[in-house]
Amino acid sequence: MRVENSFLGAEGIGETIERRLWKQGVTHWTEFDDSCEGVGPTRAERIEAFIEEGERAIDADDVSYFDEVFPTGARWRLYESFREQACFFDIETTGLDHHTSVVTTVSLHQDGQTRTLVRGDDLTAEELAAAFADAGLLVTFNGARFDIPFLEQSFGIDLDFPHIDLMPTCRKLGLSGGLGEIERTLGIERDLPDVDGREAVRLWHEHERGVDGSLERLIEYNREDTENMVPVLERAVSELDRQVVPDDCPLPE
């Protein structure tokens, strides 16, 4: 689903009215007019205002407009329209508290390219700001509670971007547990199935002691966490589409 198929961004419009429009064949903004049944003049004006602002936002590649007007639970709808601006990222740390722990690696995946920043090398506030510069939409797993505040507090950077957190998104589909568990449920395989967060901490400490190959293995794990979020989100979006859109009114591509 693209944002142009959605009417939830209009004031006072919920899924019931949106579904009513879809069932009338109004599955794209271009098909809406004030003669649609069951809407009424006030709601029609609000929908038209939303469409007008939405078209301007799309022309300006402005993800934030839709992030503000869509309900929190519908932010997954942003992905198809702003896929190229989606920056998947994941961090590894030595612990859970930024006061006593440090970030060891940060991997970012956007538009098919992955980059990893490493503590003691290029993991700095300046490099992080540059790495996120082209992002319009962040995608994380539990990043709202962990990755984003940890980076902001550790490096003094601002990551107030539109954001899809995969943890609550997957829970809408009954998929619980960590990222690895959800991947196994979906049949997504890993090259390093035996490495987890605890092992990542051990690998970092081994690297500090000069153990060959430990940093490379940590980076590979961090990158796999990041890149595997792509198929997880795409499957979640596909399934949420299937649940939200009635069978008798498929949305246009």
Side-chain angles (χ1 to χ4, degrees):
M1 181 187 302
R2 299 181 64 84
V3 296
E4 301 96 319
N5 307 125
S6 299
F7 298 92
L8 284 182
E11 182 184 353
I13 304 302
E15 291 188 359
T16 299
I17 294 176
E18 181 178 64
R19 211 172 271 120
R20 187 182 301 162
L21 289 169
W22 287 341
K23 283 183 173 292
Q24 294 178 54
V26 184
T27 56
H28 191 278
W29 294 347
T30 56
E31 297 164 336
F32 179 81
D33 61 47
D34 57 11
S35 66
C36 293
E37 296 178 8
V39 174
T42 299
R43 284 176 173 158
E45 287 180 5
R46 291 173 177 175
I47 292 172
E48 288 170 343
F50 161 65
I51 292 172
E52 184 176 344
E53 288 297 321
E55 288 174 340
R56 278 199 287 263
I58 289 175
D59 289 341
D61 288 328
D62 180 11
V63 192
S64 61
Y65 170 72
F66 299 101
D67 183 63
E68 292 169 2
V69 299
F70 278 9
T72 301
R75 285 185 181 142
W76 57 272
R77 298 189 186 196
L78 301 175
Y79 179 63
E80 290 295 341
S81 292
F82 299 102
R83 180 190 298 262
E84 292 183 359
Q85 293 189 52
C87 178
F88 297 77
F89 85 94
D90 179 71
I91 71 174
E92 298 301 331
T93 70
T94 56
L96 301 179
D97 185 346
H98 79 278
H99 293 293
T100 57
S101 306
V102 297
V103 182
T104 57
T105 61
V106 179
S107 287
L108 307 95
H109 178 85
Q110 184 173 353
D111 201 19
Q113 302 295 318
T114 305
R115 179 185 182 188
T116 302
L117 305 177
V118 180
R119 180 175 177 80
D121 183 9
D122 52 1
L123 181 51
T124 65
E126 293 74 20
E127 288 291 337
L128 278 169
F132 285 108
D134 292 331
L137 174 66
L138 301 184
V139 184
T140 68
F141 189 90
N142 196 33
R145 292 193 300 179
F146 185 69
D147 302 70
I148 290 176
F150 208 113
L151 283 185
E152 289 182 328
Q153 293 159 1
S154 298
F155 294 93
I157 61 173
D158 181 7
L159 294 179
D160 186 20
F161 292 81
H163 176 215
I164 299 174
D165 192 326
L166 274 173
M167 178 178 278
T169 302
C170 287
R171 283 180 177 168
K172 291 171 68 70
L173 298 170
L175 296 169
S176 58
L179 180 60
E181 183 177 346
I182 290 173
E183 289 171 9
R184 288 190 291 274
T185 300
L186 296 176
I188 298 170
E189 297 183 353
R190 281 185 171 244
D191 293 330
L192 297 176
D194 55 330
V195 181
D196 56 15
R198 183 175 297 179
E199 175 71 1
V201 175
R202 188 185 69 80
L203 288 169
W204 177 256
H205 290 316
E206 283 191 351
H207 164 64
E208 290 184 308
R209 294 195 301 271
V211 177
D212 287 343
S214 55
L215 179 59
E216 290 75 13
R217 188 170 174 83
L218 172 60
I219 290 173
E220 185 178 354
Y221 167 69
N222 188 207
R223 291 169 72 93
E224 193 163 40
D225 261 359
T226 305
E227 293 171 357
N228 278 12
M229 283 191 270
V230 178
V232 171
L233 177 58
E234 290 182 347
R235 294 195 191 188
V237 167
S238 178
E239 179 60 21
L240 287 166
D241 271 352
R242 190 189 67 78
Q243 291 185 7
V244 169
V245 181
D247 292 337
D248 56 353
C249 56
L251 301 183
E253 297 294 331

